[in-house]
Amino acid sequence: MSKAKNQILAGLYRRLKTIEGRANLLGSYEVFQGDYAKAFDEDKRVEAVTAADIQRVAQKYFTAKNRTVATLVPENVEVAQ
């Protein structure tokens, strides 16, 4: 968990290095979260995630009903003799 959290936070902090990254971050939070100010608390929200939270979300969304299965079949199948 700590490695995943560190990677998420490192990505967030990398975006803050440039003016373009900051503008994109604030714009994304305003559009997708409804408030740009939520970007300033993102580190606290990431740290608050627990293993139980991950398991609960995985059980909710990773179900047989929510999956897509694809079967790849070659177009030209030569029968070995």
Side-chain angles (χ1 to χ4, degrees):
M1 282 289 289
S2 63
K3 182 177 179 180
K5 288 179 181 182
N6 288 340
Q7 289 175 336
I8 290 168
L9 292 174
L12 176 70
Y13 297 139
R14 261 187 243 110
R15 291 175 75 181
L16 296 173
K17 280 185 170 182
T18 65
I19 294 296
E20 178 186 0
R22 288 182 220 147
N24 188 288
L25 180 76
L26 293 175
S28 295
Y29 272 83
E30 184 65 33
V31 170
F32 297 114
Q33 302 291 328
D35 185 6
Y36 73 91
K38 289 185 178 181
F40 302 120
D41 296 331
E42 185 65 17
D43 55 342
K44 293 175 187 96
R45 285 194 299 277
V46 168
E47 288 298 332
V49 174
T50 65
D53 294 331
I54 301 295
Q55 290 173 344
R56 178 181 44 79
V57 171
Q59 287 176 354
K60 179 177 180 180
Y61 292 105
F62 295 157
T63 64
K65 178 183 168 189
N66 289 337
R67 77 175 166 206
T68 300
V69 178
T71 304
L72 299 175
V73 179
E75 288 184 22
N76 298 323
V77 178
E78 295 183 22
V79 179
Q81 297 183 16

